[in-house]
Amino acid sequence: MSWDADSSDEELMLCYRDGDAGAFDALYRRHRGGLYRYLLRQCRDAGVAEELFQDVWMNLIRARSGYAVTAKFTTYLYRVAHNRLIDHYRKHAHAAVASFDDEDCEELESLPEQRERPPDAALDAKRQAERLLALVAELPDAQREAFLLQQEGGMSVEEIAQATGVTRETAKSRLRYAMAKLRQGMGEWR
Amino acid sequence: MALKDPMRGGGPPQEHRDPRLTRLYRAASGEEPPARLDAAILAAARREVGSRPRAVGSFLRAWRMPVAIAAVIVLSVSLVTLMMEEGRDPISEAPPPVAPPAAEAPVPPSADAVKELRDAPSKERAAVAQPPVAKPEPAPAPRVSVPGSRGLESKEPGAPAPAPAKTAAPFPSAAQEQRQADDAAGRRALPQPEPASAPRADRESAPPAPARALRAPPPAAAPAEAARARSEAGALRSDRPLAGGLQKSALLSELEREPPEKWLERIEELRRQGEAAVAGEVLAEFKRRFPNHPLPAGLR
């Protein structure tokens, strides 16, 4: 089986399963940034993120011989990452576990507190980006995860549900609240 | 607080996205894993499959198909060329079907001749026991097939003689092949005679077979079976007058490609015409050619 730059993730993984290390290189370069940022924003520690990042890829490498296309590769990859993250939370008694277990559809009144309107209306894009990242960091873990899976993994609601092991409605609710909070937080700068 | 939910009601993934947020997020998020981590993971991946870097793999992948196609083409062309050469040889390189070697003429009675004597009616025994007429019988051109001639010429002198079935076959009909097979079976049952073409003195002091074959020149070393077949064919086709003014060769030529039923009809017809002797000879020939064919009650 051969592959090229246009090959799908699943084809690349199948090639790697069949012994083509070059296919893994291409696959890794496609997803390294998104997966790393997903882990970094979820655990908020670069060192831990690197450790988890390496664990996820090593799990993938070790499981290559048994790989079969049962879902989109990104769903598979981020599900591995999600599980590894949950393990990390449990190991370190992270409060996020409760956040993942509960339905966190709190009222939108509990949104992050309103920021002061910046003095300069022509705030540059960099400061807007910084503001957005701050808002993302303040999101509940489950909502933030849904948002990051959409942004970094390019996943749909159904794929987010598969990757995080929840129903489609739960995933949709988390994503909806996350987007609403971010829009509300950034709205004053629109 | 009422929330205006743009995603309410579901829909395609695009409806769950906010382009402005996406644009802002992409501008803000540019973190990448450190290079050492990349190297460690890629090295682990290569170790896992035990393969080399992509440069070599891609080179092999790129050339695998062209090399395979070229190999298939070369093999196919070689095979076709060989097959064409093999198929052309018997036609283009075969010697003329006539002109049997001079040593063929004085063929002493062979085991086949003895067998023929046993099978043939007494009237014909004398003719068969005589050395065949030296006059060579030109075989019909379309029927001549000498598949083993090239092998005879190109073989080393010490090479064993080919099987009788592969030597000159002036009558390549199914009946003739059947007869030759029967003859071969009969020869196997009888004590094996010496080759008919070998002189008696030579036979008496004959060394083992390979040495004897080395002594004989290649053209004269034509297998005794081929000579026997030719002499037999000559005997059958000779225009010896038969009883009743009929010629056996003419009859045999007429019946040669006919089915057994036609033979039987002809025999009956001869009997009705009072040609009992000829009918008997033809019947004897019929029994030789079709030993397993049932005979009508009147002919048994």
Side-chain angles (χ1 to χ4, degrees):
Chain A
M1 188 174 183
S2 61
W3 59 273
D4 55 27
D6 296 330
S7 296
S8 67
D9 294 342
E10 293 77 24
E11 290 170 340
L12 291 174
M13 190 60 196
L14 287 173
C15 287
Y16 178 58
R17 181 197 65 183
D18 295 340
D20 188 341
F24 181 85
D25 285 14
L27 192 62
Y28 177 78
R29 294 189 192 288
R30 280 185 191 179
H31 295 286
R32 59 188 279 277
L35 181 66
Y36 178 75
R37 289 187 289 274
Y38 163 80
L39 292 169
L40 180 64
R41 303 214 190 292
Q42 286 293 86
C43 67
R44 304 174 195 183
D45 182 304
V48 174
E50 289 176 14
E51 178 188 342
L52 298 179
F53 179 81
Q54 188 166 3
D55 284 352
V56 169
W57 284 109
M58 292 307 294
N59 281 338
L60 205 70
I61 290 169
R62 281 192 292 268
R64 76 174 181 94
S65 59
Y67 177 78
V69 181
T70 57
K72 200 174 168 186
F73 175 76
T74 47
T75 307
Y76 171 64
L77 175 67
Y78 281 94
R79 182 163 186 81
V80 173
H82 167 84
N83 291 337
R84 183 68 187 85
L85 205 54
I86 295 294
D87 289 345
H88 170 74
Y89 290 155
R90 287 184 177 144
K91 188 176 178 181
H92 295 86
H94 195 282
V97 177
S99 169
F100 278 109
D101 291 341
D102 299 337
E103 284 304 315
D104 44 32
C105 297
E106 73 275 24
E107 291 298 319
L108 286 178
E109 283 79 1
S110 63
L111 283 171
E113 61 186 37
Q114 296 287 320
R115 308 280 173 160
E116 293 181 2
R117 178 180 290 272
D120 186 358
L123 191 65
D124 59 0
K126 182 179 177 182
R127 294 183 62 186
Q128 282 191 33
E130 289 173 352
R131 165 71 177 155
L132 178 61
L133 289 183
L135 289 172
V136 168
E138 290 173 7
L139 288 174
D141 289 331
Q143 293 177 19
R144 184 172 60 248
E145 180 179 53
F147 174 77
L148 291 174
L149 289 175
Q150 183 195 53
Q151 296 296 323
E152 299 291 358
M155 301 167 75
S156 66
V157 172
E158 288 78 9
E159 290 163 352
I160 292 170
Q162 287 180 32
T164 55
V166 298
T167 65
R168 181 185 184 281
E169 288 306 312
T170 300
K172 179 180 170 184
S173 174
R174 288 175 179 176
L175 186 59
R176 185 180 64 201
Y177 276 91
M179 298 290 282
K181 288 175 186 175
L182 293 176
R183 269 198 298 268
Q184 188 169 348
M186 296 297 293
E188 60 198 80
W189 289 351
R190 288 177 186 257
Chain B
M1 175 182 172
L3 175 66
K4 185 181 178 183
D5 185 3
M7 296 179 288
R8 185 156 296 177
Q14 290 78 7
E15 294 183 14
H16 300 273
R17 294 178 184 273
D18 185 326
R20 180 171 176 267
L21 282 180
T22 299
R23 189 174 60 250
L24 272 177
Y25 179 79
R26 291 189 189 286
S29 60
E31 300 94 335
E32 297 280 339
R36 58 175 173 75
L37 210 52
D38 292 342
I41 291 169
L42 292 177
R46 289 190 190 114
R47 274 197 309 273
E48 179 70 18
V49 298
S51 67
R52 303 173 68 182
R54 170 162 162 66
V56 176
S58 63
F59 175 80
L60 292 178
R61 265 194 308 278
W63 284 98
R64 185 169 53 193
M65 188 61 72
V67 168
I69 291 173
V72 167
I73 290 174
V74 167
L75 280 175
S76 302
V77 168
S78 303
L79 198 60
V80 167
T81 306
L82 278 175
M83 290 176 67
M84 288 175 66
E85 286 181 356
E86 296 260 337
R88 191 175 54 222
D89 281 344
I91 299 171
S92 62
E93 300 179 15
V98 291
E104 182 186 350
V107 175
S110 63
D112 298 301
V114 172
K115 183 178 186 301
E116 190 171 349
L117 273 175
R118 192 177 60 235
D119 293 341
S122 59
K123 193 182 290 184
E124 197 173 338
R125 283 184 188 169
V128 175
Q130 296 291 329
V133 183
K135 178 179 69 178
E137 178 73 18
R143 292 195 198 159
V144 169
S145 167
V146 193
S149 62
R150 180 170 174 262
L152 283 174
E153 289 175 4
S154 61
K155 275 190 194 308
E156 294 179 6
K166 293 188 177 180
T167 58
F171 301 103
S173 65
Q176 191 72 7
E177 290 175 359
Q178 173 69 30
R179 187 165 57 87
Q180 288 182 357
D182 292 340
D183 290 346
R187 282 194 301 278
R188 280 195 295 273
L190 292 172
Q192 290 297 317
E194 289 296 325
S197 60
R200 176 170 294 276
D202 199 14
R203 275 184 282 166
E204 287 172 355
S205 62
R212 194 168 65 240
L214 276 172
R215 194 179 299 175
E225 298 302 329
R228 181 201 59 77
R230 278 192 290 272
S231 66
E232 184 177 287
L236 286 175
R237 297 185 142 248
S238 65
D239 292 331
R240 282 181 287 112
L242 299 174
L246 293 174
Q247 290 184 342
K248 184 182 177 182
S249 62
L251 266 175
L252 293 179
S253 298
E254 177 188 338
L255 293 171
E256 186 156 329
R257 295 195 170 186
E258 299 295 340
E261 292 75 16
K262 190 73 176 173
W263 283 65
L264 296 175
E265 288 176 10
R266 188 77 174 114
I267 293 170
E268 294 283 0
E269 184 183 341
L270 286 170
R271 284 191 165 188
R272 282 196 299 272
Q273 293 171 357
E275 300 287 352
V278 179
E281 291 181 6
V282 176
L283 179 60
E285 185 64 24
F286 174 83
K287 287 178 180 174
R288 289 186 57 213
R289 296 194 181 207
F290 309 105
N292 297 324
H293 194 279
L295 290 172
L299 295 180
R300 287 176 191 160

CSV table of all heavy atoms in Angstrom, one decimal, chain B residues 139-175:
chain,number,residue,atom,x,y,z
B,139,ALA,N,6.5,-40.6,-48.5
B,139,ALA,CA,5.3,-40.4,-47.7
B,139,ALA,C,4.6,-39.2,-48.2
B,139,ALA,O,5.2,-38.2,-48.7
B,139,ALA,CB,5.6,-40.3,-46.2
B,140,PRO,N,3.3,-39.1,-48.0
B,140,PRO,CA,2.6,-37.9,-48.4
B,140,PRO,C,3.1,-36.7,-47.6
B,140,PRO,O,3.2,-36.8,-46.4
B,140,PRO,CB,1.1,-38.2,-48.1
B,140,PRO,CG,1.0,-39.7,-48.0
B,140,PRO,CD,2.4,-40.1,-47.6
B,141,ALA,N,3.3,-35.6,-48.3
B,141,ALA,CA,3.9,-34.5,-47.7
B,141,ALA,C,3.1,-33.9,-46.5
B,141,ALA,O,3.7,-33.7,-45.4
B,141,ALA,CB,4.1,-33.3,-48.7
B,142,PRO,N,1.8,-33.8,-46.6
B,142,PRO,CA,1.1,-33.1,-45.5
B,142,PRO,C,1.1,-34.0,-44.2
B,142,PRO,O,1.0,-33.5,-43.1
B,142,PRO,CB,-0.3,-33.0,-46.0
B,142,PRO,CG,-0.3,-33.2,-47.4
B,142,PRO,CD,0.9,-34.0,-47.7
B,143,ARG,N,1.3,-35.3,-44.4
B,143,ARG,CA,1.2,-36.1,-43.2
B,143,ARG,C,2.5,-36.3,-42.5
B,143,ARG,O,2.6,-36.8,-41.4
B,143,ARG,CB,0.7,-37.5,-43.6
B,143,ARG,CG,-0.7,-37.6,-44.1
B,143,ARG,CD,-1.1,-39.0,-44.2
B,143,ARG,NE,-2.2,-39.2,-45.0
B,143,ARG,CZ,-2.6,-40.3,-45.5
B,143,ARG,NH1,-1.8,-41.4,-45.3
B,143,ARG,NH2,-3.6,-40.5,-46.2
B,144,VAL,N,3.6,-35.9,-43.2
B,144,VAL,CA,4.9,-36.1,-42.6
B,144,VAL,C,5.1,-35.3,-41.4
B,144,VAL,O,4.9,-34.1,-41.4
B,144,VAL,CB,6.0,-35.8,-43.7
B,144,VAL,CG1,7.4,-35.9,-43.0
B,144,VAL,CG2,5.9,-36.9,-44.7
B,145,SER,N,5.5,-35.9,-40.4
B,145,SER,CA,5.8,-35.1,-39.1
B,145,SER,C,7.0,-35.8,-38.5
B,145,SER,O,7.0,-37.0,-38.2
B,145,SER,CB,4.6,-35.2,-38.2
B,145,SER,OG,5.0,-34.7,-36.9
B,146,VAL,N,8.1,-35.0,-38.3
B,146,VAL,CA,9.3,-35.6,-37.8
B,146,VAL,C,9.6,-34.8,-36.5
B,146,VAL,O,10.6,-34.0,-36.5
B,146,VAL,CB,10.4,-35.5,-38.8
B,146,VAL,CG1,11.6,-36.4,-38.3
B,146,VAL,CG2,9.9,-36.0,-40.2
B,147,PRO,N,8.9,-35.0,-35.5
B,147,PRO,CA,9.1,-34.1,-34.3
B,147,PRO,C,10.4,-34.4,-33.7
B,147,PRO,O,11.0,-33.6,-33.0
B,147,PRO,CB,7.9,-34.4,-33.4
B,147,PRO,CG,7.4,-35.8,-33.9
B,147,PRO,CD,7.7,-35.9,-35.3
B,148,GLY,N,10.9,-35.6,-33.8
B,148,GLY,CA,12.1,-36.0,-33.1
B,148,GLY,C,13.4,-35.9,-33.9
B,148,GLY,O,14.5,-36.2,-33.5
B,149,SER,N,13.2,-35.4,-35.2
B,149,SER,CA,14.4,-35.4,-36.0
B,149,SER,C,15.5,-34.5,-35.6
B,149,SER,O,16.7,-34.8,-35.6
B,149,SER,CB,14.0,-35.0,-37.4
B,149,SER,OG,13.5,-33.7,-37.4
B,150,ARG,N,15.1,-33.3,-35.1
B,150,ARG,CA,16.1,-32.4,-34.7
B,150,ARG,C,16.8,-32.9,-33.4
B,150,ARG,O,18.0,-32.8,-33.3
B,150,ARG,CB,15.4,-31.0,-34.3
B,150,ARG,CG,16.4,-30.0,-33.8
B,150,ARG,CD,15.7,-28.6,-33.8
B,150,ARG,NE,16.6,-27.7,-33.2
B,150,ARG,CZ,16.6,-27.3,-31.9
B,150,ARG,NH1,15.7,-27.9,-31.1
B,150,ARG,NH2,17.4,-26.4,-31.5
B,151,GLY,N,16.0,-33.5,-32.6
B,151,GLY,CA,16.7,-34.1,-31.4
B,151,GLY,C,17.6,-35.2,-31.8
B,151,GLY,O,18.7,-35.3,-31.2
B,152,LEU,N,17.3,-35.9,-32.8
B,152,LEU,CA,18.3,-37.0,-33.2
B,152,LEU,C,19.5,-36.4,-33.7
B,152,LEU,O,20.6,-36.9,-33.4
B,152,LEU,CB,17.6,-37.9,-34.3
B,152,LEU,CG,16.6,-38.9,-33.8
B,152,LEU,CD1,15.9,-39.5,-35.0
B,152,LEU,CD2,17.2,-39.9,-32.9
B,153,GLU,N,19.4,-35.3,-34.5
B,153,GLU,CA,20.6,-34.8,-35.1
B,153,GLU,C,21.5,-34.0,-34.0
B,153,GLU,O,22.7,-34.1,-34.1
B,153,GLU,CB,20.2,-33.8,-36.2
B,153,GLU,CG,19.7,-34.5,-37.4
B,153,GLU,CD,19.2,-33.5,-38.4
B,153,GLU,OE1,19.3,-32.3,-38.2
B,153,GLU,OE2,18.7,-34.0,-39.4
B,154,SER,N,20.8,-33.4,-33.1
B,154,SER,CA,21.5,-32.6,-32.2
B,154,SER,C,22.0,-33.3,-31.0
B,154,SER,O,22.8,-32.8,-30.2
B,154,SER,CB,20.7,-31.4,-31.8
B,154,SER,OG,19.5,-31.9,-31.1
B,155,LYS,N,21.5,-34.5,-30.8
B,155,LYS,CA,21.9,-35.3,-29.6
B,155,LYS,C,23.3,-35.7,-29.8
B,155,LYS,O,23.8,-36.0,-30.9
B,155,LYS,CB,21.0,-36.5,-29.5
B,155,LYS,CG,19.7,-36.2,-28.8
B,155,LYS,CD,19.0,-37.5,-28.5
B,155,LYS,CE,17.6,-37.3,-28.0
B,155,LYS,NZ,17.4,-36.3,-27.0
B,156,GLU,N,23.9,-35.9,-28.6
B,156,GLU,CA,25.3,-36.5,-28.6
B,156,GLU,C,25.2,-37.9,-29.0
B,156,GLU,O,24.2,-38.6,-28.8
B,156,GLU,CB,25.9,-36.4,-27.2
B,156,GLU,CG,26.1,-34.9,-26.8
B,156,GLU,CD,26.6,-34.8,-25.5
B,156,GLU,OE1,26.9,-35.9,-24.9
B,156,GLU,OE2,26.8,-33.7,-25.0
B,157,PRO,N,26.2,-38.4,-29.6
B,157,PRO,CA,26.2,-39.8,-30.0
B,157,PRO,C,25.8,-40.8,-28.9
B,157,PRO,O,25.2,-41.8,-29.1
B,157,PRO,CB,27.6,-40.1,-30.5
B,157,PRO,CG,28.1,-38.8,-30.9
B,157,PRO,CD,27.5,-37.8,-29.9
B,158,GLY,N,26.2,-40.5,-27.7
B,158,GLY,CA,26.0,-41.4,-26.6
B,158,GLY,C,24.6,-41.2,-26.0
B,158,GLY,O,24.2,-42.0,-25.1
B,159,ALA,N,23.8,-40.3,-26.5
B,159,ALA,CA,22.5,-40.1,-25.9
B,159,ALA,C,21.6,-41.3,-26.2
B,159,ALA,O,21.7,-41.9,-27.3
B,159,ALA,CB,21.9,-38.8,-26.5
B,160,PRO,N,20.7,-41.6,-25.3
B,160,PRO,CA,19.9,-42.7,-25.6
B,160,PRO,C,18.9,-42.4,-26.7
B,160,PRO,O,18.6,-41.3,-27.0
B,160,PRO,CB,19.1,-42.9,-24.3
B,160,PRO,CG,19.2,-41.6,-23.6
B,160,PRO,CD,20.5,-41.0,-24.0
B,161,ALA,N,18.5,-43.5,-27.4
B,161,ALA,CA,17.6,-43.3,-28.5
B,161,ALA,C,16.2,-42.8,-28.0
B,161,ALA,O,15.8,-43.2,-26.9
B,161,ALA,CB,17.4,-44.6,-29.2
B,162,PRO,N,15.5,-42.0,-28.7
B,162,PRO,CA,14.2,-41.5,-28.3
B,162,PRO,C,13.2,-42.6,-28.3
B,162,PRO,O,13.4,-43.7,-29.0
B,162,PRO,CB,13.9,-40.4,-29.3
B,162,PRO,CG,14.7,-40.8,-30.5
B,162,PRO,CD,15.9,-41.5,-30.0
B,163,ALA,N,12.1,-42.4,-27.7
B,163,ALA,CA,11.0,-43.3,-27.7
B,163,ALA,C,10.5,-43.5,-29.1
B,163,ALA,O,10.5,-42.6,-29.9
B,163,ALA,CB,9.9,-42.9,-26.7
B,164,PRO,N,10.0,-44.7,-29.4
B,164,PRO,CA,9.5,-44.9,-30.7
B,164,PRO,C,8.3,-44.0,-31.1
B,164,PRO,O,8.2,-43.6,-32.2
B,164,PRO,CB,9.0,-46.4,-30.7
B,164,PRO,CG,9.7,-47.0,-29.5
B,164,PRO,CD,10.0,-45.9,-28.6
B,165,ALA,N,7.5,-43.6,-30.2
B,165,ALA,CA,6.4,-42.8,-30.5
B,165,ALA,C,6.8,-41.4,-31.0
B,165,ALA,O,6.0,-40.7,-31.6
B,165,ALA,CB,5.5,-42.7,-29.3
B,166,LYS,N,8.0,-41.0,-30.7
B,166,LYS,CA,8.5,-39.7,-31.0
B,166,LYS,C,9.3,-39.7,-32.3
B,166,LYS,O,9.8,-38.7,-32.7
B,166,LYS,CB,9.2,-39.1,-29.9
B,166,LYS,CG,8.3,-38.8,-28.7
B,166,LYS,CD,9.0,-38.0,-27.7
B,166,LYS,CE,8.1,-37.6,-26.5
B,166,LYS,NZ,8.8,-36.8,-25.5
B,167,THR,N,9.5,-40.9,-32.9
B,167,THR,CA,10.3,-40.9,-34.1
B,167,THR,C,9.4,-40.7,-35.3
B,167,THR,O,8.2,-40.4,-35.1
B,167,THR,CB,11.0,-42.3,-34.2
B,167,THR,OG1,10.0,-43.3,-34.1
B,167,THR,CG2,12.0,-42.5,-33.0
B,168,ALA,N,10.0,-41.0,-36.4
B,168,ALA,CA,9.2,-40.7,-37.7
B,168,ALA,C,7.9,-41.4,-37.6
B,168,ALA,O,7.9,-42.6,-37.4
B,168,ALA,CB,10.1,-41.1,-38.9
B,169,ALA,N,6.9,-40.7,-38.0
B,169,ALA,CA,5.6,-41.3,-38.0
B,169,ALA,C,4.9,-41.0,-39.3
B,169,ALA,O,4.3,-40.0,-39.4
B,169,ALA,CB,4.7,-40.8,-36.8
B,170,PRO,N,5.0,-41.9,-40.2
B,170,PRO,CA,4.5,-41.6,-41.5
B,170,PRO,C,3.0,-41.6,-41.5
B,170,PRO,O,2.3,-41.0,-42.4
B,170,PRO,CB,5.0,-42.7,-42.4
B,170,PRO,CG,5.7,-43.7,-41.6
B,170,PRO,CD,5.8,-43.1,-40.2
B,171,PHE,N,2.3,-42.3,-40.6
B,171,PHE,CA,0.9,-42.4,-40.5
B,171,PHE,C,0.4,-41.8,-39.2
B,171,PHE,O,0.2,-42.6,-38.2
B,171,PHE,CB,0.4,-43.8,-40.7
B,171,PHE,CG,0.9,-44.4,-42.0
B,171,PHE,CD1,1.9,-45.3,-42.0
B,171,PHE,CD2,0.2,-44.0,-43.2
B,171,PHE,CE1,2.3,-45.8,-43.2
B,171,PHE,CE2,0.7,-44.6,-44.4
B,171,PHE,CZ,1.7,-45.5,-44.4
B,172,PRO,N,0.3,-40.6,-39.1
B,172,PRO,CA,0.0,-40.0,-37.7
B,172,PRO,C,-1.5,-40.0,-37.4
B,172,PRO,O,-2.0,-39.2,-36.8
B,172,PRO,CB,0.5,-38.6,-37.8
B,172,PRO,CG,0.3,-38.2,-39.3
B,172,PRO,CD,0.5,-39.5,-40.1
B,173,SER,N,-2.2,-41.0,-37.9
B,173,SER,CA,-3.6,-41.0,-37.6
B,173,SER,C,-3.8,-41.7,-36.2
B,173,SER,O,-2.8,-42.3,-35.7
B,173,SER,CB,-4.3,-41.9,-38.6
B,173,SER,OG,-3.9,-43.2,-38.6
B,174,ALA,N,-4.9,-41.6,-35.7
B,174,ALA,CA,-5.2,-42.1,-34.4
B,174,ALA,C,-5.1,-43.6,-34.4
B,174,ALA,O,-4.6,-44.3,-33.5
B,174,ALA,CB,-6.6,-41.7,-33.9
B,175,ALA,N,-5.5,-44.2,-35.5
B,175,ALA,CA,-5.5,-45.7,-35.6
B,175,ALA,C,-4.0,-46.1,-35.6
B,175,ALA,O,-3.7,-47.1,-35.0
B,175,ALA,CB,-6.2,-46.2,-36.8
